[in-house]
Amino acid sequence: MSDTISLSRRFGSNSGQPVTRRDGIAKVTGSATFSADNHPDSLLYAVYATATIARGRVTRMDTAAAEAHPGIVLVMTPQNRPPLQGNPDDKPTFFSQRIEVLQDDTVRYAGQPVALVVGETLEAATEGARLLNPQYAMEKPRTGLDDAAAYTFEPAGFGTPANTVHGDVEAGHAAATASVDVSYTTSAMYHNAMETHAVVAKWNGDKLHLELPSQALTMTCHSMAYFFGIPPENVTLSSPYLGGGFGSKAFPIGPYVLAVLAARTLDRPVKLALSRNQMFGPVGHRGATRQRLRLGIDDQAALTVIDHSGLSETSTFDDFIEPAPNASQGLYKAGALRSTHSAVRLDIGTPGPMRAPGEASGSAALECAMDEMAEKAGIDPLEFRLLNYAEIEPGTGKPYSSKALRECYRQGAERFGWAGRPLQPRQMVDGDGMLTGWGMGTALFPCPMFMAEAEATLRPDGTALVETSAVDMGQGAWTSLAQIAADSLGLPLDKVEFRAGHSSLPDGGVAGGSGHTATAGSALHAAGSDVIRQLGELAAADPASPLHGSGNAGFVARDGLLMVEGDDSRSEPFADILARAGGVPLKGSGRGVRPPEAAEAHAMHSHGAVFAEVKVDSVLCQMRVTRMVGVFAAGRIINPRLTESQLLGGMIWGLSFALHEEARHDPRTGRIVNADLAGYHVPVNADVHGFEAITVHEDDPHVNALGIKGVGEIGTVGSVGAIANAIWHATGKRIRRFPIRIEDLLTA
Amino acid sequence: MKLFDFIQPATIDEALSAWRPGAAWLGGGTNLVDLMKTGAMQPDAVIDITRLPGLDRIETLPDGSTRIGALVRNATLAHDRDFAAAYPMVAEALLSGASGQLRNVATVAGNLLQKTRCPFFQEPAALCNRRDPGAGCDAMAAPGNSAILGWSDACIATNPSDFTVPLVALEAVAEVRGPQGMREIAVADLQPLPGSTPERDTALEPGELILALRLPARARSFAAHARYLKVRERTSFAFALASAAAALRIEGGLIAEARLALGAVAAKPWRLAEAEAMMTGKAPDAALFAEVAEAVLAMANSPDGQKWKIDLARNTAARALSMAAAGTPARIPALPASPFGTRIEDPQHV
Ligand SMILES: Cc1cc2nc3c(=O)[nH]c(=O)nc-3n(C[C@H](O)[C@H](O)[C@H](O)COP(=O)(O)OP(=O)(O)OC[C@H]3O[C@@H](n4cnc5c(N)ncnc54)[C@H](O)[C@@H]3O)c2cc1C
Ligand code: SF4
């Protein structure tokens, strides 16, 4: 017999264990059914025709040719689009954007749906859509930040004010003995999760079932119910797996609504899946920005002001303003802080949230400007950040709920070997003759909580069922949430059946804002605790239980046993308690939400420090990130394996932002010319070299009962600046646009 | 995509007689099928040549030359030990192209005849003289990674193939069969410059089929000093911004013969005999290579007047020559044709 005891008994905890993804085998063997893998009987295929110009009108489409093609059953254009019950220009929920559903013949961006073709096969529908061959009356497209006048709009991003000012900004500028005033440009970046957007829609009378990858199941159901004039409870949505979401699968897109409409019109199930190049348009993207940073320091190198303004692109028909300048709030101690946002309306799809929306772009500019300021002050960039370390949240004066950033800096610098870095650029050359540079950046990401509900059922056999419509979009929620649920019930993971990813379950909330584990996890924790509380009441009242009469002492549940708190000798298996109580299951429920008072009392953020090494060929100017160390303080870590994977993924995204991603528009038509993965570059394996992500210990008693912050997005923040700063340190050249390209270094 | 006839001939004769105007040969399909999906190419008939017998061999002929069947896969050729030892820069160029998966499927003839990656060629909604003669050229207003040599007002596209660059330097020929019988075409002549007829993007006549490529025996004499260098936007899996195949025959410390071809700078690999001749009889030296690179690019200009790509091509040519002079590495580096992982002897700072 083994002389070790099971992990869960030893620690009484599933949380903190590096459990592998519970859906991993299903995914790598292909048995996991993603939305587009569903093929209900008599399925039809829908393909939409996309506008190939960005601005103008469709004057003609060859619908006759499309209809005549074998296998075509429906060609839907603005002329014959059946009515929707809800106004398609409305936003049915808070997380919504105006959708494109063939309202009229106007073209507002390239990639916009201009017709929907439904066929018996995918090939027929594809060819039908091509045969439409739309003709246009084209107008000159506006796709650059200077192509239209700027305007301001409240709110920026989701819910933040367009202007935030703390302290006397002019006085801050006046007090500065040294300053930098720099502009950084970031490019438009498009969502390209491995799984493109897809829906399989099936009506049954006035009931609608959707197979649809969604980061927000309940809201998606509500939106669909609104557009189709049916009660929300008539819509069910199944979203067991997502091949990546990153913000693009948070709200319904126009093509989904068209597919559902086609299914209702034809009374047959309809599938629609976006092609790769259709991802460049209607699914949201990270809008391009131009940001101006004015920093001032006094003669002690203390920041007197951080003045951050940003211009972002948005569409002509909706407002989503990348809240980049907000990245300067909450991080460095400064006499005065100002973040202002403005936007320009361009002939593009509406931007939307993309992993660390605002934080990624804003931090890129801020961390570079901080590096420029440190250079000017003649101080090591890490030293400069420590000199301006904020002990309380700058501006608001709130205490941080927890902040182990100093420890991140310390461990990161040590692990990376930052000490001894020459202050001047262009000092280091490696054995191959490559210029070598080191740069760093700070990462900050808020820890919001939304609202989620969960239920837990303890079955008479001592196993449990927990339910919430939470979303595993690849991040591993299926696994880490189950770990939390098991702990709340005092059961090992394999005794807990975890159901998620279906709208009929209690509302699991939104997988976004890096708040899903905190929110849905809190709901699960509350539901499990509710069951254990009831179980305790049963046992305490039951004369046959060894726990009889100990109700006041309180109980703990561990490994299927209920025990008196502080006295392990008094315990009883769950199943025994339930058996004597009539063998009926015990049901509990819980909510995950942060009380407003708690949210008010503290500033709540995850923090991190990222260090990068970049090598640059001095003559050819090809660049390569050769090492990257990210150290993060993100509260309690439920699953270190999944956390590391999230953080590494975020850092790789930072690399992608710094050196690769950029959508380029054709000046004549406004079309994105590199709308495929051969032309739109993201890093390949050979680019991801020597990456390390580490977490430091952080106990946070305020964020939520579990002490969970969030790790989904913070990896990207700080990484972009670290890389750009390393490129400067290698070459002595400041490139103030992203991505940094070979041609930029060659011409600098 | 458009409906088409799919024909799978069993013999070369059958294949040739199956051909008709509007048909396309299908090799690995990694380029043709992509373009059919976007609609940039719309053949009425697709003739799958991958079952034709006898075209998948790498042979050494009695005169020492090497014959590579048209259907040999890119990966097979690059990983053939004898081939890589004899023509190291060809293997290195192949391994620097595309990805492992693509190289496993792509055929050598298909690689040679792949279409330009000009994004306006690939998108049927764009105006493109090469795809649609007389339509105009959208690339002119957005040149990006365009040609800097040999372009015309009609077309500024480049040839994207890495493999072709060392083949041109080594004077490879293609063996071609068509309705008129067999003939040979120098690989250097396979891709005409655009002039006023960019739609003529190959010297093959309609219905002609490449059966094999041949590398002359002489090309082996460069094996000790031959490198391919490719500058690209990421470490792997990206087309070149500029590339160069450089080969030197060094005898008694002096360059007896030199070859240099540049990629991604024109509608075909660019080779200048005068520039190569500048090196004959000289000792290999960075200053000499810089002069040679200067000479090759002397005529360069870019459609948008930007200099960076010309500078990059020049620096790439000079570096490739330095790398060749330093000697072919015992094995192809883990990052083939990359500036990374190769010692730079003489970094001239920009
Ligand atoms: C994402 C991506 C990245 C890539 N990156 C690179 C890169 O970095 N470097 C690089 O060099 N290449 C790159 N490639 C291109 C790749 O090398 C080519 O697609 C491939 O070599 C074509 O070979 P194939 O056999 O698949 O050709 P096919 O697609 O079958 O054919 C290509 C063309 O050649 C014609 N053809 C084929 N065989 C014959 C024959 N025997 N006789 C006459 N005509 C013929 C076809 O009709 C067609 O027009 C990339 C491709 C992709 C998709
Ligand atoms: S450069 Fe050539 S291939 Fe590109 S659009 Fe112009 S004509 Fe077409």
Side-chain angles (χ1 to χ4, degrees):
Chain A
M1 209 184 104
S2 160
D3 60 357
T4 55
I5 48 174
S6 81
L7 282 180
S8 63
R9 187 183 280 264
R10 187 150 32 119
F11 297 116
S13 176
N14 298 288
S15 299
Q17 309 298 335
V19 180
T20 52
R21 279 185 172 74
R22 302 169 86 210
D23 51 359
I25 291 192
K27 280 181 173 168
V28 297
T29 56
S31 63
T33 38
F34 289 81
S35 298
D37 295 332
N38 289 285
H39 299 91
D41 286 346
S42 70
L43 182 66
L44 291 168
Y45 297 82
V47 170
Y48 67 90
T50 54
T52 53
I53 65 161
R55 184 183 181 200
R57 268 185 336 103
V58 177
T59 52
R60 212 185 95 76
M61 273 190 277
D62 198 346
T63 49
E67 278 158 359
H69 189 72
I72 298 299
V73 296
L74 176 68
V75 176
M76 198 192 284
T77 69
Q79 274 70 50
N80 68 346
R81 199 252 291 137
L84 288 163
Q85 281 59 48
N87 178 357
D89 293 339
D90 280 353
K91 299 181 186 180
T93 66
F94 177 66
F95 278 107
S96 289
Q97 295 195 322
R98 184 191 167 280
I99 56 168
E100 296 293 331
V101 282
L102 311 178
Q103 281 95 328
D104 53 36
D105 62 8
T106 312
V107 177
R108 299 176 183 86
Y109 60 95
Q112 175 190 318
V114 294
L116 186 82
V117 178
V118 185
E120 296 286 350
T121 63
L122 176 62
E123 290 74 15
T126 306
E127 179 63 4
R130 193 185 67 81
L131 287 169
L132 286 172
N133 189 25
Q135 307 295 307
Y136 307 97
M138 191 171 84
E139 290 179 66
K140 189 172 167 42
R142 299 155 297 187
T143 56
L145 288 170
D146 294 315
D147 291 354
Y151 74 103
T152 51
F153 181 83
E154 302 271 0
F158 286 111
T160 54
N163 295 307
T164 304
V165 185
H166 293 293
D168 185 338
V169 174
E170 295 318 319
H173 283 303
T177 55
S179 59
V180 295
D181 180 351
V182 287
S183 278
Y184 278 81
T185 311
T186 65
S187 299
M189 301 173 203
Y190 280 77
H191 280 289
N192 271 294
M194 191 124 59
E195 176 201 34
T196 63
H197 290 55
V199 62
V200 177
K202 188 176 174 188
W203 287 89
N204 185 357
D206 66 348
K207 292 199 165 59
L208 171 64
H209 180 68
L210 300 166
E211 298 285 345
L212 184 158
S214 172
Q215 294 178 243
L217 280 69
T218 307
M219 275 197 283
T220 303
C221 291
H222 272 86
S223 295
M224 288 295 184
Y226 171 78
F227 290 126
F228 291 94
I230 54 176
E233 57 274 19
N234 279 17
V235 185
T236 52
L237 189 157
S238 168
S239 180
Y241 305 103
L242 279 81
F246 307 112
S248 73
K249 290 171 181 158
F251 25 77
I253 54 171
Y256 286 168
V257 176
L258 290 175
V260 174
L261 185 58
R264 193 176 67 179
T265 308
L266 297 164
D267 199 21
R268 283 174 68 179
V270 168
K271 182 200 296 199
L272 176 142
L274 271 63
S275 64
R276 181 56 62 188
N277 77 326
Q278 287 178 329
M279 293 293 286
F280 293 77
V283 307
H285 68 279
R286 197 195 298 284
T289 72
R290 186 189 300 135
Q291 302 171 52
R292 182 177 178 198
L293 258 303
R294 284 183 288 165
L295 308 185
I297 51 171
D298 63 19
D299 51 13
Q300 303 299 305
L303 284 162
T304 58
V305 64
I306 300 179
D307 193 357
H308 192 165
S309 63
L311 175 70
S312 315
E313 63 179 21
T314 188
S315 69
T316 56
F317 53 94
D318 205 350
D319 305 272
F320 184 90
I321 299 175
E322 182 78 7
N326 284 347
S328 286
Q329 298 288 332
L331 181 50
Y332 298 115
K333 186 173 70 184
L337 274 175
R338 175 161 65 187
S339 302
T340 59
H341 299 78
S342 59
V344 289
R345 293 203 180 283
L346 302 179
D347 303 307
I348 56 174
T350 308
M354 177 189 273
R355 201 176 199 174
E359 290 85 4
S361 314
S363 156
L366 171 66
E367 292 304 314
C368 290
M370 285 292 285
D371 208 63
E372 298 206 45
M373 195 71 252
E375 179 198 354
K376 204 151 192 178
I379 301 177
D380 174 82
L382 172 56
E383 183 67 36
F384 180 58
R385 284 166 175 84
L386 286 167
L387 277 172
N388 289 284
Y389 193 88
E391 302 292 354
I392 52 169
E393 190 181 50
T396 67
K398 285 184 192 175
Y400 291 104
S401 60
S402 61
K403 179 175 178 178
L405 176 57
R406 222 183 269 286
E407 188 57 15
C408 297
Y409 285 140
R410 195 188 65 72
Q411 286 195 27
E414 194 179 295
R415 184 95 191 154
F416 183 83
W418 182 259
R421 170 187 176 276
L423 262 192
Q424 298 301 317
R426 247 189 137 96
Q427 302 299 305
M428 303 195 292
V429 178
D430 78 357
D432 287 340
M434 291 287 169
L435 296 175
T436 303
W438 293 349
M440 55 95 46
T442 310
L444 177 88
F445 199 86
C447 353
M449 277 179 69
F450 307 103
M451 212 290 289
E453 293 167 351
E455 280 171 15
T457 307
L458 189 60
R459 295 164 170 150
D461 65 357
T463 66
L465 168 69
V466 290
E467 297 169 290
T468 179
S469 67
V471 180
D472 194 318
M473 50 180 174
Q475 86 279 45
W478 235 68
T479 307
S480 51
L481 290 178
Q483 289 175 263
I484 294 172
D487 283 349
S488 74
L489 289 158
L491 284 173
L493 205 47
D494 59 6
K495 292 273 190 314
V496 176
E497 183 187 343
F498 181 57
R499 286 197 195 142
H502 197 286
S503 65
S504 63
L505 302 169
D507 182 4
V510 183
S514 298
H516 196 42
T517 311
T519 312
S522 293
L524 288 161
H525 175 71
S529 305
D530 186 26
V531 168
I532 296 303
R533 184 187 51 73
Q534 296 175 46
L535 192 67
E537 284 170 9
L538 281 182
D542 181 353
S545 169
L547 306 174
H548 179 66
S550 56
N552 292 341
F555 296 113
V556 287
R558 192 182 303 153
D559 210 20
L561 297 174
L562 193 69
M563 42 187 102
V564 175
E565 184 148 17
D567 182 4
D568 298 17
S569 67
R570 289 181 69 195
S571 69
E572 188 174 25
F574 297 171
D576 294 0
I577 304 172
L578 288 176
R580 280 197 312 277
V584 288
L586 265 190
K587 262 191 150 171
S589 64
R591 276 158 56 90
V593 65
R594 179 178 292 147
E597 320 81 75
E600 265 310 299
H602 289 93
M604 300 177 182
H605 305 283
S606 298
H607 293 90
V610 184
F611 297 81
E613 176 180 270
V614 178
K615 301 213 169 162
V616 184
D617 186 302
S618 65
V619 178
L620 305 174
C621 294
Q622 195 168 318
M623 293 155 265
R624 189 171 190 224
V625 175
T626 45
R627 265 183 330 124
M628 212 154 156
V629 175
V631 182
F632 300 91
R636 178 144 171 254
I637 301 304
I638 299 301
N639 184 321
R641 183 193 306 271
L642 299 175
T643 296
E644 182 187 29
S645 147
Q646 283 295 293
L647 294 171
L648 285 177
M651 289 162 66
I652 294 166
W653 202 308
L655 160 61
S656 198
F657 187 127
L659 299 185
H660 300 300
E661 286 186 60
E662 175 179 18
R664 293 189 301 272
H665 292 271
D666 167 28
R668 183 176 66 85
T669 61
R671 227 175 355 89
I672 293 172
V673 298
N674 56 335
D676 61 46
L677 291 180
Y680 184 88
H681 282 178
V682 296
V684 296
N685 282 326
D687 293 304
V688 181
H689 197 266
F691 274 52
E692 266 185 278
I694 299 165
T695 52
V696 304
H697 182 83
E698 196 175 61
D699 270 323
D700 193 316
H702 304 294
V703 277
N704 46 56
L706 297 168
I708 297 172
K709 288 183 165 179
V711 295
E713 292 164 272
I714 190 167
T716 306
V717 190
S719 298
V720 186
I723 291 169
N725 294 335
I727 289 174
W728 168 78
H729 192 239
T731 63
K733 294 176 185 179
R734 292 276 181 201
I735 307 301
R736 298 192 181 89
R737 65 93 72 192
F738 293 103
I740 298 175
R741 301 164 300 181
I742 288 172
E743 64 204 77
D744 298 317
L745 281 181
L746 274 171
T747 50
Chain B
M1 66 179 76
K2 194 176 114 172
L3 294 178
F4 56 85
D5 292 334
F6 187 59
I7 303 162
Q8 287 189 301
T11 66
I12 295 173
D13 288 336
E14 258 179 62
L16 289 170
S17 53
W19 195 86
R20 57 181 195 246
W25 306 118
L26 177 74
T30 61
N31 188 230
L32 177 66
V33 176
D34 273 7
L35 292 169
M36 287 170 68
K37 286 201 235 169
T38 70
M41 289 180 78
Q42 298 182 19
D44 305 308
V46 170
I47 306 172
D48 178 5
I49 57 172
T50 57
R51 294 167 184 218
L52 302 186
L55 301 184
D56 59 354
R57 287 200 291 268
I58 308 166
E59 306 159 90
T60 305
L61 303 183
D63 68 350
S65 63
T66 299
R67 188 167 188 273
I68 309 155
L71 294 178
V72 172
R73 307 288 164 165
N74 287 200
T76 311
L77 183 61
H79 292 300
D80 185 287
R81 274 171 179 262
D82 295 338
F83 180 82
Y87 311 101
M89 72 175 175
V90 181
E92 188 168 19
L94 277 170
L95 292 176
S96 75
S99 66
Q101 293 90 332
L102 283 158
R103 293 193 297 268
N104 285 341
V105 174
T107 63
V108 293
N111 188 320
L112 226 56
L113 292 171
Q114 63 176 295
K115 303 291 178 185
T116 179
R117 302 301 293 200
C118 172
F120 302 97
F121 174 82
Q122 296 178 328
E123 167 56 60
L127 304 179
C128 171
N129 290 324
R130 189 175 279 260
R131 182 170 31 75
D132 184 9
C137 170
D138 272 344
M140 289 287 175
N145 186 18
S146 69
I148 50 173
L149 284 161
W151 52 274
S152 71
D153 289 341
C155 178
I156 57 174
T158 61
N159 181 294
S161 167
D162 290 302
F163 178 49
T164 317
V165 183
L167 290 187
V168 166
L170 296 176
E171 299 179 346
V173 293
E175 297 176 8
V176 172
R177 217 180 116 184
Q180 319 305 330
M182 288 290 302
R183 65 174 180 133
E184 290 189 354
I185 310 177
V187 171
D189 298 331
L190 207 53
Q191 276 100 12
L193 290 176
S196 56
T197 53
E199 71 279 10
R200 265 208 56 116
D201 65 354
T202 160
L204 293 186
E205 295 298 334
E208 278 188 323
L209 185 64
I210 294 185
L211 297 183
L213 308 174
R214 233 180 35 243
L215 274 160
R218 233 174 118 68
R220 293 173 184 264
S221 66
F222 298 101
H225 293 278
R227 289 303 299 271
Y228 185 67
L229 174 64
K230 175 178 177 185
V231 181
R232 53 206 127 160
E233 283 175 352
R234 55 186 175 191
T235 307
S236 179
F237 203 13
F239 287 95
L241 292 176
S243 72
L248 305 171
R249 198 169 76 246
I250 297 180
E251 288 170 1
L254 299 180
I255 300 172
E257 189 179 359
R259 301 281 177 86
L260 176 68
L262 305 191
V265 296
K268 61 184 206 169
W270 199 261
R271 200 181 153 204
L272 194 71
E274 295 86 327
E276 290 174 356
M278 286 166 68
M279 292 179 268
T280 313
K282 306 251 175 66
D285 159 76
L288 170 66
F289 296 150
E291 273 175 52
V292 170
E294 193 69 46
V296 182
L297 274 305
M299 303 295 287
N301 65 336
S302 59
D304 59 351
Q306 285 213 35
K307 245 174 84 306
W308 70 266
K309 185 156 176 181
I310 301 172
D311 291 341
L312 183 63
R314 191 187 298 115
N315 296 346
T316 306
R319 173 72 63 75
L321 286 166
S322 288
M323 284 164 60
T328 308
R331 22 183 340 168
I332 295 174
L335 295 174
S338 171
F340 294 99
T342 293
R343 170 140 186 87
I344 307 163
E345 293 304 333
D346 187 18
Q348 46 176 119
H349 287 229
V350 285

